Amino acid sequence: MKDLPPLNALRAFEAGARHLSFTKAAAELHVTQAAVSHQVKALEEHLGFALFRRLTRKLVLTEQGRALHPVVRDAFARISETAARLKSDGAESRTLTVSITPAFGAKWLIYHLPRFWEQYPEIDVRVHHSIQPVDLRQDDVDIAVRFGAGKWDGLVSEFLLRVDYVPVCSPGLLEGDRPLRRPEDLRHHTLLHEDDHSGWVQWLAVAGVDGIDARRGPVIDDSTVILHAAAEGKGVALGRSSLIGEDLAAGRLVKPFDLTISSDLGYHLVYLPGALERQKVKVFRDFLVDAASADES
């Protein structure tokens, strides 16, 4: 063990190799860029070979760096997993921390959690809301639900809910001076966009509607806010099928048209390898999978 490189230097190298940026690695580790550079240089001196090629505004791993990085990454992951497992066996074993987006929490999870609490009163669920994905290797999170294509390096990913998009609005927009009865009637109403305009561009094209500028209307990066605005009669939104069920059932939203467009993206459960060895994580995972399956049936 006497030849083991300094752990701080290995950590700086792993972060730098993952980001291919000392600046981003420094931000992750909460140190200065100079500190990361110094640690990496010390590691290179200890090993006797270069790990990075420092190009203009760019870092590239050397052959040795590419060989070392997965070994260091996996070693830190195993340390993190073991520490988390040991911690779960201690005083914190009752607490399960799940990371989700605000929209998924407000529009789906909140309607299912009471049943989990009834079935597993011994488990305290702590919900962490974040638009940006958390780092399960370093943050105190047991399991997460992420929206995307289902591929995240170093994590187990399980498909949970598919997402189709369908127009939704307030029931009031079906009446009045300019009621929504045909897709062409959208020209008289505000289009609400999530993240960008691509959704409405695609939907109008599939519907065969011409003469409507699909890029007009506000762009909002929060599904909860968009659905709230639609329910308040501020415009027509493309709702994610998996998030609008309760609003439709309660009559807050209606579907003026049944035409949906599909997406390659969806909601996925993600967790570190070995996480399901902890009973509280496994039962929560199984509960969400069963709830999602029931919703899709």
Side-chain angles (χ1 to χ4, degrees):
M1 298 292 289
K2 65 180 181 179
D3 292 330
L4 183 68
L7 292 182
N8 282 342
L10 288 172
R11 191 178 182 195
F13 162 70
E14 194 284 322
R18 181 160 29 90
H19 293 292
L20 289 178
S21 167
F22 288 164
T23 300
K24 291 181 180 179
E28 176 183 309
L29 299 176
H30 304 291
V31 297
T32 65
Q33 187 270 352
V36 171
S37 180
H38 176 76
Q39 290 284 2
V40 171
K41 184 176 181 181
L43 179 60
E44 290 175 325
E45 292 176 351
H46 177 91
L47 296 173
F49 49 78
L51 298 169
F52 294 95
R53 292 175 58 205
R54 294 157 175 82
L55 306 179
T56 304
R57 297 183 181 179
K58 184 178 181 181
L59 280 180
V60 177
L61 284 167
T62 64
E63 181 179 352
Q64 293 91 335
R66 289 195 301 271
L68 181 63
H69 179 233
V71 177
V72 175
R73 179 195 62 207
D74 293 346
F76 277 123
R78 291 183 63 185
I79 293 171
S80 177
E81 293 160 19
T82 302
R85 190 177 303 115
L86 293 173
K87 181 179 180 180
S88 72
D89 292 336
E92 297 295 321
S93 61
R94 286 175 50 89
T95 302
L96 174 82
T97 302
V98 53
S99 176
I100 58 174
T101 63
F104 184 83
K107 296 298 182 180
W108 193 86
L109 185 60
I110 191 61
Y111 298 105
H112 295 280
L113 270 181
R115 186 159 55 89
F116 181 82
W117 294 331
E118 291 177 2
Q119 294 180 16
Y120 301 98
E122 73 280 7
I123 299 177
D124 296 327
V125 179
R126 185 172 73 90
V127 179
H128 174 272
H129 290 98
S130 176
I131 295 178
Q132 298 299 323
V134 299
D135 187 343
L136 272 68
R137 298 180 185 86
Q138 299 191 23
D139 296 315
D140 189 17
V141 172
D142 297 297
I143 193 169
V145 178
R146 291 184 181 175
F147 181 73
K151 294 182 180 180
W152 290 276
D153 290 343
L155 299 176
V156 178
S157 174
E158 290 189 77
F159 175 80
L160 187 64
L161 287 167
R162 67 183 179 87
V163 170
D164 295 328
Y165 290 91
V166 61
V168 291
C169 65
S170 165
L173 295 191
L174 302 183
E175 304 171 351
D177 296 335
R178 292 178 170 178
L180 269 176
R181 293 173 181 167
R182 302 178 304 157
E184 289 79 6
D185 295 330
L186 287 166
R187 71 180 73 254
H188 304 302
H189 298 273
T190 300
L191 301 181
L192 304 174
H193 304 271
E194 183 178 351
D195 295 332
D196 57 35
H197 304 98
S198 60
W200 273 116
V201 170
Q202 182 182 354
W203 191 91
L204 290 170
V206 173
V209 178
D210 296 320
I212 296 180
D213 183 4
R215 291 173 173 80
R216 61 179 172 84
V219 178
I220 305 170
D221 65 357
D222 189 325
S223 298
T224 307
V225 176
I226 290 177
L227 294 178
H228 179 74
E232 292 294 313
K234 306 303 181 183
V236 186
L238 281 178
R240 296 180 182 181
S241 57
S242 52
L243 300 187
I244 60 176
E246 292 296 330
D247 285 322
L248 293 174
R252 292 185 291 269
L253 291 172
V254 294
K255 295 190 291 184
F257 320 111
D258 289 330
L259 176 63
T260 64
I261 55 174
S262 60
S263 170
D264 294 331
L265 308 180
Y267 287 99
H268 300 260
L269 279 169
V270 295
Y271 46 86
L272 290 169
L276 296 187
E277 295 177 14
R278 289 174 284 154
Q279 183 66 11
K280 64 180 181 181
V281 180
K282 185 178 187 305
V283 297
F284 189 73
R285 174 264 177 201
D286 292 346
F287 176 84
L288 290 189
V289 169
D290 289 344
S293 177
D295 278 4
E296 301 244 306
S297 62

